[in-house]
Amino acid sequence: MSEQSVTSTVVLGLVAETVDTIVAREFCRPPDRGVVALAASPDVGRLVVADPWRSWPVDLLKRRSLRSHRTFSVRGRTVERVSPRRVGRSDPLDVASLEPLYRRWAQQVGAAAGLTSADGAVLVTYSPFAAAFADDEWITRRVYVGRDDFANGPRRKPWWPAYEVAYERIARRCDEIFTISDELGARIAPGVARTMPNGVDAELWAPTERPDDSPWRARRPYAVYAGSVEGRVDDSLFAEVLTVVPEIVVAGPCLDAEQRARLEAMPGVTLTGSLGQRDLVDVVSHAVVGLVPHRDTPMTRAMSPLKMYEYLAAGLPVVATDLPPVADGGERVLLCRTREDWAPAVRRAVEMGVLDAAGRRDVLARISWDVRLAPLVRAATAPTYWPLGTGSST
């Protein structure tokens, strides 16, 4: 059998969300797009998506399915789904307990999917604990994708020491390591990790020739902040922006109650709440400038702001806090180091204007998910392991 005719068995492990979550949010986040990219590859013969640990008592109380193996559809392809379950909801804090727990996660995944060492399966996971501690006979190679710095996430503070240990293990045992930013790669596996920034759905964000009857057209000129509002967002900077444009549209949910109250009381700020993907494109595409007003924290320094790429895909100029992850945005991203920089930067951005359709298509050719995730697909399907009976790479 030739190399070209051998297809890979790939297990993609999720970290926080389940398959139900990624389907409900229309495959818009980085792990979701990993599923889409692998499902689209002809080199992936069998794709299994593994949920993170779920609590079976909780699933029982909420009347969720307790089946460990199901299927779902991704762009017309049938993909397998496995759902490992345990009693508790939260991971333990100590490494000594995490190690056997994630070995058991791998064993449940393998048993539910019927995987053995003969399958030559590759584990691609967004979970630091699965990448560091999961082990079973079916895993022949490990690929870790770092989407956030879990060792600095405020909501994960009790687990910070365990994540630091996990990073050390990942650097030693994973065959491939991808991170969304240079900064995160330097924290996890210096000199080894490859940077794979976030991207956009080229089809969703492509300029359209249809008549523009959007209600947002009449609201221009407004600035937009796309995404959830929480601690990383310095909402006090909105006041500076509003000295230049009459309105800021916050296109996403406010997760912090105090921030929500402040924004609701701020004249000129409109809160849309959660939006579907096409509604988000509509709001962003009619703005005159996109905003990334992040605080300077270890977490934001390691991010790859998805919103920046969405703004650029819509043809917008961007005004952002001067942080490492936005440095690759190009000349249409204006950086602010101080509060006093924001109003002049927004003014310059408005003067730059929005790209035409040709300019937007050029941007999409550089930052689409297909382009961004190509290295991950190659790593997941590299013919470095050949199960018994399939031939060899020589």
Side-chain angles (χ1 to χ4, degrees):
M1 184 176 290
S2 68
E3 288 186 15
Q4 287 75 18
S5 61
V6 174
T7 55
S8 300
T9 296
V10 179
V11 176
L12 187 145
L14 300 173
V15 60
E17 54 279 289
T18 66
V19 168
D20 293 331
T21 308
I22 68 176
V23 171
R25 66 191 183 195
E26 304 175 78
F27 295 92
C28 67
R29 303 297 296 171
D32 321 0
R33 300 306 304 192
V35 174
V36 172
L38 291 167
S41 173
D43 295 321
V44 176
R46 184 182 179 195
L47 178 59
V48 180
V49 180
D51 286 331
W53 276 119
R54 312 309 293 175
S55 166
W56 68 259
V58 171
D59 284 350
L60 188 65
L61 286 171
K62 294 188 175 182
R63 299 185 178 181
R64 296 171 180 154
S65 172
L66 294 179
R67 287 190 295 163
S68 60
H69 185 274
R70 288 169 280 174
T71 61
F72 66 108
S73 178
V74 180
R75 305 290 170 90
R77 174 173 176 169
T78 298
V79 175
E80 298 175 65
R81 170 191 184 178
V82 295
S83 302
R85 287 186 173 83
R86 62 187 180 189
V87 176
R89 299 183 67 176
S90 299
D91 283 331
L93 302 181
D94 60 297
V95 172
S97 300
L98 286 165
E99 289 176 317
L101 181 67
Y102 276 86
R103 284 197 296 269
R104 189 154 55 89
W105 176 86
Q107 291 162 3
Q108 285 197 27
V109 169
L115 295 170
T116 69
S117 58
D119 291 293
V122 179
L123 173 62
V124 176
T125 182
Y126 289 78
S127 164
F129 290 157
F133 307 128
D135 202 12
D136 198 31
E137 64 168 356
W138 60 267
I139 303 174
T140 58
R141 289 195 299 120
R142 294 172 179 81
V143 178
Y144 176 62
V145 186
R147 57 177 280 195
D148 281 311
D149 185 2
F150 292 91
N152 279 290
R155 284 179 285 185
R156 299 177 186 268
K157 190 171 184 178
W159 290 270
W160 284 1
Y163 281 123
E164 292 289 357
V165 174
Y167 286 174
E168 294 173 3
R169 297 278 183 92
I170 288 168
R172 292 202 309 266
R173 78 187 310 226
C174 286
D175 299 278
E176 293 275 4
I177 301 169
F178 296 94
T179 56
I180 58 170
S181 68
D182 293 344
E183 178 72 21
L184 184 55
R187 295 178 191 179
I188 296 176
V192 175
R194 291 196 278 166
T195 301
M196 188 173 67
N198 285 328
V200 297
D201 184 330
E203 181 180 350
L204 181 68
W205 288 92
T208 177
E209 302 299 327
R210 294 191 301 272
D212 188 356
D213 56 357
S214 169
W216 292 102
R217 183 181 182 184
R219 302 279 286 268
R220 302 183 78 185
Y222 62 86
V224 65
Y225 173 84
S228 58
V229 178
E230 48 189 329
R232 68 174 180 265
V233 178
D234 186 353
D235 56 90
S236 72
L237 294 172
F238 284 6
E240 306 300 323
V241 177
L242 288 168
T243 65
V244 182
V245 294
E247 183 180 17
I248 298 173
V249 177
V250 177
C254 289
L255 304 181
D256 182 286
E258 292 184 5
Q259 282 185 306
R260 181 181 182 87
R262 285 197 301 271
L263 293 175
E264 286 177 333
M266 189 179 294
V269 174
T270 299
L271 307 180
T272 69
S274 297
L275 295 174
Q277 285 299 285
R278 295 202 177 276
D279 289 335
L280 176 65
V281 171
D282 192 25
V283 173
V284 172
S285 297
H286 287 88
V288 295
V289 59
L291 308 176
V292 189
H294 285 168
R295 300 181 189 278
D296 188 347
T297 70
M299 188 75 170
T300 57
R301 283 181 163 269
M303 293 176 64
S304 173
L306 180 58
K307 59 182 62 59
M308 180 179 76
Y309 299 115
E310 292 172 338
Y311 302 153
L312 294 172
L316 304 187
V318 180
V319 178
T321 306
D322 188 2
L323 294 171
V326 299
D328 70 342
E331 62 184 14
R332 290 182 60 81
V333 178
L334 306 180
L335 304 179
C336 300
R337 295 186 176 181
T338 68
R339 177 176 302 277
E340 291 72 26
D341 291 341
W342 274 81
V346 172
R347 192 170 294 111
R348 289 198 304 275
V350 173
E351 292 169 354
M352 291 172 70
V354 177
L355 291 177
D356 60 16
R360 290 178 61 184
R361 283 191 284 269
D362 287 344
V363 171
L364 289 170
R366 297 193 304 271
I367 66 170
S368 73
W369 279 120
D370 289 344
V371 173
R372 296 297 209 205
L373 293 171
L376 174 63
V377 174
R378 288 195 294 269
T381 58
T384 55
Y385 177 84
W386 298 81
L388 185 65
T390 63
S392 70
S393 60
T394 59

